[in-house]
Amino acid sequence: MASSPRDALHRTIREDPGVFARAARVIGIPFADVTNSRDLSNDPTAFYHPRRQRVDALLSLGTAEHEDYLLAVVAMTAVTEEDKSNPVSWTYYLSYLHAYYRMPPVLLIVCGDRHTAYWAARHLDVGPKAWTSLTMRPIVLGPDTVPLLKTRDEVAGDIPMAVLSAILHQSEPDVPDTLEALSATLRDLHERDETAADRYIELTAQGLATSPHAAYWRALVHTDTSFFVSPLAEELREEGRVQGREEGHGRGREAGKAAGIAMAVLRILHRREIPFTNTERGKVLCCTDLRVLEQWFDRAITATTTADVFDEA
């Protein structure tokens, strides 16, 4: 199971490498459909140099047009001071990948936010101004290049792309639509391929991590325990069992009711196109006072702004 949002970004590509080609075509890069793939060592520079430099995933891809190439995947969720030297390292990776495997390499950077994607998209020219010897030119997938799939048909047509888009757009208000469509689609997939459905459940949960919509995804999975038997669903059920043992069944039911009302408040605001901040979303999801939640619910039905819902006056 992926252990962080960054892991989820590159593991989504590894789960279905073809999602890279489909996403690239959205931004006008005509990659052919991937017909086969093979995992390679993601520490290629160790063959040549004692410096231990890595990419997050390295895949050998075959295409419908019989043009094989290497896909080096780097996942980023922020830009740190240490990352500022990455373009030089990426150039180093690509040169040695080409030399070692004798195959053309492509660098794919999957970014969890717009600022990081903008930074990563820059090209690096190697050589004097009079003559550029090499140009490092990555393909960057981020919130502005991967569309948010919202409808059931869109999600069912490309589940890996839906998972990736939900992770990349996780701070946007329309993500619940995607998560609901994804949950329903995975319910159908579970009947045909339980293992694949479980992997996508876990990738989505790990990619959302602590985002405002993570609780909503967990609630959807918990609601659908009639077919979800993934580790996440088991974890949620165990949380409920522990809560029931420690707090008593009455309080456990109250906590479940509070979570349901909280999500209902947010859904009403979203459906009525009343914008709310991440702080307000967190305020609702963290509230366990049924009296307060029910008051917010009633106000949300007729409110025109969030002030009408949350202001004590």
Side-chain angles (χ1 to χ4, degrees), residues 265 268-269 272 274 283 291-313:
V265 171
I268 290 175
L269 294 176
R272 299 190 63 230
I274 298 175
K283 177 179 180 179
R291 182 189 62 80
V292 172
L293 286 167
E294 288 171 349
Q295 185 179 59
W296 290 344
F297 178 87
D298 292 338
R299 292 176 177 178
I301 295 173
T302 57
T304 56
T305 67
T306 54
D308 296 336
V309 177
F310 301 119
D311 284 1
E312 292 304 318

Side-chain angles (χ1 to χ4, degrees), residues 95-116:
S95 297
Y96 278 108
L97 284 173
H98 187 263
Y100 185 80
Y101 289 105
R102 303 295 180 182
M103 294 175 65
V106 174
L107 175 62
L108 173 66
I109 307 175
V110 191
C111 300
D113 66 85
R114 288 180 172 83
H115 172 73
T116 305

Side-chain angles (χ1 to χ4, degrees), residues 20-298:
F20 150 72
R22 298 192 295 274
R25 289 199 292 268
V26 171
I27 55 177
I29 305 174
F31 278 94
D33 286 335
V34 174
T35 56
N36 60 81
S37 68
R38 179 166 59 96
D39 272 322
L40 303 173
S41 168
N42 62 342
D43 188 14
T45 59
F47 299 122
Y48 290 90
H49 201 283
R51 293 165 60 190
R52 303 290 291 179
Q53 297 179 315
R54 301 174 66 94
V55 292
D56 291 304
L58 180 63
L59 303 169
S60 173
L61 303 185
T63 73
E65 296 180 359
H66 307 292
E67 181 186 11
D68 296 348
Y69 58 92
L70 300 174
L71 182 66
V73 185
V74 174
M76 298 185 67
T77 54
V79 180
T80 66
E81 189 65 30
E82 185 179 357
D83 292 328
K84 292 182 179 179
S85 64
N86 279 357
V88 175
S89 297
W90 293 334
T91 306
Y92 180 82
Y93 298 153
L94 294 174
S95 297
Y96 278 108
L97 284 173
H98 187 263
Y100 185 80
Y101 289 105
R102 303 295 180 182
M103 294 175 65
V106 174
L107 175 62
L108 173 66
I109 307 175
V110 191
C111 300
D113 66 85
R114 288 180 172 83
H115 172 73
T116 305
Y118 177 78
W119 176 87
R122 294 175 297 176
H123 299 174
L124 175 65
D125 292 327
V126 179
K129 292 182 179 179
W131 189 267
T132 300
S133 300
L134 295 171
T135 297
M136 192 284 299
R137 187 174 62 161
I139 294 175
V140 177
L141 298 183
D144 289 332
T145 52
V146 175
L148 179 61
L149 308 187
K150 299 179 185 179
T151 69
R152 179 74 180 276
D153 288 343
E154 289 175 331
V155 171
D158 199 335
I159 295 175
M161 183 77 81
V163 172
L164 183 62
S165 71
I167 295 172
L168 293 178
H169 292 272
Q170 59 184 267
S171 62
E172 298 179 15
D174 289 338
V175 170
D177 294 334
T178 300
L179 297 181
E180 289 171 6
L182 183 57
S183 173
T185 301
L186 291 180
R187 181 189 301 111
D188 294 339
L189 176 62
H190 192 273
E191 297 177 357
R192 307 189 306 273
D193 190 340
E194 179 178 321
T195 302
D198 290 346
R199 286 199 304 268
Y200 289 127
I201 294 166
E202 302 305 323
L203 278 173
T204 304
Q206 293 297 331
L208 295 176
T210 57
S211 77
H213 296 301
Y216 189 57
W217 177 247
R218 292 171 67 87
L220 285 172
V221 175
H222 187 263
T223 301
D224 285 327
T225 51
S226 60
F227 76 95
F228 279 148
V229 293
S230 70
L232 177 60
E234 289 297 331
E235 177 186 334
L236 289 166
R237 283 193 284 269
E238 180 59 25
E239 287 176 3
R241 287 191 287 267
V242 171
Q243 184 181 35
R245 289 194 296 268
E246 293 180 350
E247 301 180 3
H249 294 295
R251 292 184 63 185
R253 284 194 296 270
E254 285 189 4
K257 184 177 180 181
I261 297 175
M263 287 186 291
V265 171
L266 296 177
R267 291 300 286 165
I268 290 175
L269 294 176
H270 173 60
R271 291 298 185 187
R272 299 190 63 230
E273 298 183 350
I274 298 175
F276 50 87
T277 66
N278 287 342
T279 299
E280 290 168 333
R281 180 188 287 106
K283 177 179 180 179
V284 173
L285 292 173
C286 292
C287 183
T288 57
D289 188 321
L290 288 175
R291 182 189 62 80
V292 172
L293 286 167
E294 288 171 349
Q295 185 179 59
W296 290 344
F297 178 87
D298 292 338

